[in-house]
Amino acid sequence: MSTTSRRRFLTAALAAGACGAGLSACSDSTAVAPAVASSNPPTAEPVLDGEQALARLVAGNARFVAERDERLDEGVARRVAVSQGQHPFATVLGCVDSRVPIELVFDQGLGDLVVVRSAGEALDHSVTGSLEFGVAELHTPLLVVLGHQRCGALDATIKALDAHQRTSEAGQIGYLVEALAPAVREVAGKPGDRLTNAIHANVDLTLAKLRQSTVIAPLEAAGKLKLVGAYYELDTGRVVLS
Ligand SMILES: [Zn+2]
């Protein structure tokens, strides 16, 4: 199967979805409406640009921080509505840390976000390919790389490098250390907290690598995709944009 064929297959299998028995709606235009008003139209074509998508995420994080119970897009009606298709408005790469669930942090519901998570936001072929799928096939106009306070993956990388640990002896975790090591090395000798500096550097380096993607770079150059780095504060629940 050619690359193009595979992409089409993935698009057909993951994005569109087939009409299912027992549901009253089989197309986006006739999808079941949510029972409650929603700020995020469940099946509308994506009309947001990157700035609008970012504003929606920022507003969602403000709701999360304020503990306002306005999560309207997680119920049965929403689930039914998005079962026949999806139009997420942002792709987010975050850490696997159990304290940083992406949808909750941005107060978004079913069908809103393409979420990819790896320890320390480390990139590999699968992670990068999944992000490319989000922006190129699901057409999200925004790609966010979200680092977070006290990231254990970066902390472990610092400790491994300091101990001159042979990463080849640490199973696949060694791969993560190798992937995150450039961020740790970049902040060596800089003032401030070493771990915090490395977390921010890692977000920047990850964005730089993603900008080398032959899928992502042209979208950004054409103004169809906005790339943003961000930092989640465990202490406050706030997401601070880079
Ligand atoms: Zn982490």
Side-chain angles (χ1 to χ4, degrees):
M1 189 183 289
S2 70
T3 300
T4 301
S5 298
R6 276 197 299 272
R7 284 177 58 180
R8 284 177 181 157
F9 172 78
L10 279 170
T11 303
L14 297 179
C19 291
L23 292 176
S24 60
C26 284
S27 69
D28 290 345
S29 62
T30 58
V32 176
V36 291
S38 168
S39 59
N40 299 351
T43 57
E45 289 297 326
V47 294
L48 301 177
D49 60 21
E51 287 292 342
Q52 292 169 326
L54 186 59
R56 184 175 286 187
L57 284 186
V58 169
N61 180 242
R63 292 195 300 272
F64 174 73
V65 171
E67 293 187 292
R68 284 159 53 189
D69 188 15
E70 295 182 7
R71 299 190 181 97
L72 305 177
D73 292 339
E74 300 173 1
V76 173
R78 174 70 174 182
R79 172 163 54 79
V80 172
V82 299
S83 67
Q84 302 304 312
Q86 60 174 320
H87 301 287
F89 68 88
T91 297
V92 182
L93 171 61
C95 184
V96 297
D97 193 298
S98 63
R99 301 163 296 180
V100 195
I102 307 300
E103 285 89 346
L104 293 181
V105 162
F106 289 113
D107 192 27
Q108 300 299 321
L110 302 174
D112 289 331
L113 302 179
V114 177
V115 173
V116 183
R117 297 175 69 173
S118 64
E121 309 89 64
L123 296 178
D124 63 12
H125 294 309
S126 182
V127 170
T128 301
S130 297
L131 296 171
E132 290 174 344
F133 184 83
V135 301
E137 303 295 350
L138 297 177
H139 307 293
T140 69
L142 177 65
L143 172 56
V144 177
V145 175
L146 181 67
H148 72 93
Q149 189 177 23
R150 293 191 282 275
C151 180
L154 266 303
D155 190 45
T157 301
I158 289 173
K159 289 181 170 65
L161 293 179
D162 285 352
H164 303 290
Q165 184 175 321
R166 292 177 60 188
T167 55
S168 60
E169 296 177 353
Q172 292 304 307
I173 294 176
Y175 176 85
L176 294 174
V177 172
E178 292 176 12
L180 301 177
V184 174
R185 294 193 180 102
E186 180 159 305
V187 301
K190 292 190 176 179
D193 180 72
R194 187 182 180 197
L195 175 56
T196 303
N197 289 343
I199 293 166
H200 286 293
N202 184 56
V203 169
D204 292 341
L205 288 173
T206 302
L207 283 170
K209 288 180 190 170
L210 291 174
R211 286 191 163 100
Q212 295 174 7
S213 157
T214 56
V215 171
I216 292 171
L219 288 172
E220 185 182 32
K224 295 179 179 176
L225 176 65
K226 182 177 180 66
L227 271 67
V228 174
Y231 178 83
Y232 176 71
E233 296 178 341
L234 292 174
D235 291 340
T236 65
R238 290 177 60 233
V239 172
V240 180
L241 303 181
S242 300

